[in-house]
Amino acid sequence: MPEARRGGAVERGIQDSAAKGGDSADETGKPRRRQARGERRIAQLLEAAGRVFCATGYTAASTNSIAREAGVSPGTLYQFFPNKEAIAVELGDVLLNRWRATYGQAFTPTHMDLPLPEMLDAVLDPLITFNCENPAFAVLMHGSEIPGQVTEEHDVLHDTLLTRVEEILGSYLPDTPRAERARTAEFVFVLFKGGLDLVLSHEGEEREAYIRELKNAMFRYLDPLVGDTLPRCRSQRETSAPDS
């Protein structure tokens, strides 16, 4: 595989602190340049592991297949990772950190001010883009044989994301009982995950068509509940604004 294709999202995430280069030593006494080379090698191995996990699944993947995909010897891989589980944990950590940043971008307070169609675009677009650009995320988060540390962190993140969905619904449905709003949020979340599976299983124009279908399904479910109701944040500001 061409080297240019190896430098993807995982490499960008793991190299942030190593990209400075130079020969000066840090507090550990290790030259920065040597550390940067090590970080690049780790990123290369993680990128390769992501591709192998997507192609074969986590269970069937091996350290030899990951080393081969990365274009290095198994001995080089073992300089950085003792086994496949350690690679999965490290890759899961990188992807989970990027996912946290992504849903932080999606669920911002300003998006709670938008009409329903615009809000769906603003929230769904970064979440869908992340999953399309990081297909290994779905493999690592939902596989039955994935290391427990990864699945535990994902479960915590899942609960946080579900809470965010409920919060944003609260801006549109402030008078809805909390239990009912929680059920709506959970159904929205399941609808998103099911639609995302279809999105990820297609490419090109078909993928774009399924993204539109996912948004349409979400809108058709929520629109009868929300109707023409202004989001609570905007409604409160407009009510309290002085007359011009």
Side-chain angles (χ1 to χ4, degrees), residues 40-126:
R40 285 194 295 271
R41 181 67 77 190
I42 290 171
Q44 179 185 359
L45 291 167
L46 294 181
E47 288 280 355
R51 293 192 294 270
V52 172
F53 293 156
C54 288
T56 68
Y58 174 77
T59 302
S62 67
T63 52
N64 284 344
S65 62
I66 293 170
R68 185 165 55 250
E69 178 69 21
V72 302
S73 68
T76 297
L77 182 149
Y78 288 125
Q79 291 178 19
F80 300 95
F81 297 104
N83 49 44
K84 180 178 69 173
E85 179 177 346
I87 297 173
V89 169
E90 180 74 15
L91 178 59
D93 187 55
V94 171
L95 292 175
L96 282 168
N97 283 336
R98 294 198 71 238
W99 179 239
R100 291 185 187 97
T102 298
Y103 81 65
Q105 172 191 354
F107 291 97
T108 63
T110 55
H111 292 167
M112 297 185 186
D113 284 351
L114 298 172
L116 181 60
E118 287 83 352
M119 183 274 286
L120 289 175
D121 284 338
V123 171
L124 294 178
D125 283 345

Side-chain angles (χ1 to χ4, degrees), residues 2-192:
E3 184 68 26
R5 296 186 61 186
R6 290 183 174 143
V10 173
E11 184 171 359
R12 290 195 301 272
I14 201 171
Q15 286 186 351
D16 285 345
S17 62
K20 296 178 182 178
D23 288 317
S24 58
D26 64 6
E27 62 274 9
T28 67
K30 298 178 181 178
R32 288 188 189 274
R33 180 171 294 174
R34 188 174 66 187
Q35 284 190 328
R37 283 198 297 268
E39 295 290 351
R40 285 194 295 271
R41 181 67 77 190
I42 290 171
Q44 179 185 359
L45 291 167
L46 294 181
E47 288 280 355
R51 293 192 294 270
V52 172
F53 293 156
C54 288
T56 68
Y58 174 77
T59 302
S62 67
T63 52
N64 284 344
S65 62
I66 293 170
R68 185 165 55 250
E69 178 69 21
V72 302
S73 68
T76 297
L77 182 149
Y78 288 125
Q79 291 178 19
F80 300 95
F81 297 104
N83 49 44
K84 180 178 69 173
E85 179 177 346
I87 297 173
V89 169
E90 180 74 15
L91 178 59
D93 187 55
V94 171
L95 292 175
L96 282 168
N97 283 336
R98 294 198 71 238
W99 179 239
R100 291 185 187 97
T102 298
Y103 81 65
Q105 172 191 354
F107 291 97
T108 63
T110 55
H111 292 167
M112 297 185 186
D113 284 351
L114 298 172
L116 181 60
E118 287 83 352
M119 183 274 286
L120 289 175
D121 284 338
V123 171
L124 294 178
D125 283 345
L127 302 181
I128 293 171
T129 298
F130 170 87
N131 280 275
C132 289
E133 292 180 348
N134 300 275
F137 182 74
V139 176
L140 278 179
M141 298 307 132
H142 305 301
S144 60
E145 302 297 327
I146 301 303
Q149 181 177 337
V150 176
T151 55
E152 288 173 9
E153 291 181 6
H154 174 260
D155 289 344
V156 172
L157 198 59
H158 173 276
D159 292 341
T160 302
L161 192 56
L162 189 58
T163 299
R164 292 287 187 92
V165 174
E166 187 175 347
E167 287 173 353
I168 203 168
L169 285 175
S171 295
Y172 292 84
L173 305 169
D175 299 324
T176 301
R178 183 172 182 180
E180 182 178 343
R181 196 163 65 228
R183 286 194 297 272
T184 301
E186 190 167 6
F187 195 86
V188 165
F189 199 77
V190 171
L191 182 60
F192 170 74

Side-chain angles (χ1 to χ4, degrees), residues 204-241:
E205 293 183 0
E206 276 297 294
R207 172 173 286 180
E208 294 301 319
Y210 276 99
I211 290 174
R212 290 192 296 271
E213 286 299 317
L214 172 56
K215 290 181 179 180
N216 286 337
M218 299 277 274
F219 177 79
R220 290 167 183 166
Y221 172 62
L222 290 171
D223 186 52
L225 301 175
V226 173
D228 296 327
T229 304
L230 285 172
R232 180 175 57 191
C233 299
R234 185 206 292 182
S235 179
Q236 289 175 344
R237 282 202 300 270
E238 291 179 353
T239 301
S240 61

